[in-house]
Amino acid sequence: MARRRDLWTGAAPGANPFALPRGPLGWVAGRVLARTNRTQNAEVAGFLRALGGTSVLEVGHGPGILVELLARQYDTTVTGVDPSTEMVRMARGRNAEAVRAGRVRLWRASAEATGCDDASMDLVVSVNTVAMWPFLDEGLAEFQRVLRPGGRAVVTWHRYPPRFALTSEELDTVEAAMRKRFGAAERDRLPSSVVLSAAR
């Protein structure tokens, strides 16, 4: 991929419509993300199913594909937050019936300030957003805050295509930050994703 900005230095994602979808171009980016990330979201949903738990928060839900899949597999409310107004609208449209039924809650918020209550979630997951967070540890601190004891934090990123993948050093940085915050972390490889997870 093109040279990536330095990660987790406080820099904003800039004008890239895939990093922070805004306006009409952001809406188009959301449609593209819904199509291109569907397989990856499905395999992450399968990974989360094996972890158990009932209450789930997705941080950076984008067009709402994983929210939709999680709402089908969990019996309680699925919460999603995203910093993009366009993506919140798109995800609400995709999950309109579940939103009306109170099984899905979606609002605009960031990784470091989700607006969720302390110790309110069994699972917190981020798919392909960790490289857009301004500060890595602040996002992981928020994951820790909202997780119940025994809950799991899950951070995933693309494996393919290679131009989108994080470098081994960047993945090591995320894993080390999770170990520092949670005491331990695990790394798994799914067909399309690298998965980093830790228990509260």
Side-chain angles (χ1 to χ4, degrees), residues 39-171:
T39 298
Q40 188 175 13
N41 280 310
E43 70 183 29
V44 170
F47 180 88
L48 297 177
R49 187 180 304 116
L51 297 180
T54 56
S55 56
V56 187
L57 167 65
E58 184 184 6
V59 173
H61 59 64
I65 299 295
L66 183 59
V67 167
E68 181 180 25
L69 296 170
L70 295 176
R72 291 180 191 160
Q73 78 184 36
Y74 288 94
D75 293 331
T76 189
T77 302
V78 174
T79 302
V81 299
D82 197 287
S84 165
T85 300
E86 283 75 12
M87 292 303 93
V88 173
R89 286 186 189 137
M90 186 174 283
R92 282 180 179 159
R94 173 167 277 106
N95 293 279
E97 184 178 336
V99 169
R100 283 192 297 272
R103 293 185 298 105
V104 166
R105 302 179 306 164
L106 302 164
W107 61 78
R108 187 172 176 268
S110 64
E112 65 273 11
T114 63
C116 295
D117 292 336
D118 291 355
S120 58
M121 299 290 164
D122 293 312
L123 289 170
V124 182
V125 59
S126 160
V127 178
N128 300 335
T129 70
V130 69
M132 285 75 153
W133 299 357
F135 298 103
L136 180 58
D137 190 60
E138 288 184 12
L140 294 176
E142 180 71 353
F143 279 34
Q144 184 182 46
R145 182 187 71 78
V146 304
L147 279 171
R148 297 182 179 119
R152 301 282 296 189
V154 178
V155 175
T156 82
W157 192 262
H158 306 277
R159 286 185 68 195
Y160 301 106
R163 69 183 183 278
F164 292 148
L166 291 176
T167 66
S168 59
E169 291 82 6
E170 289 164 344
L171 288 170

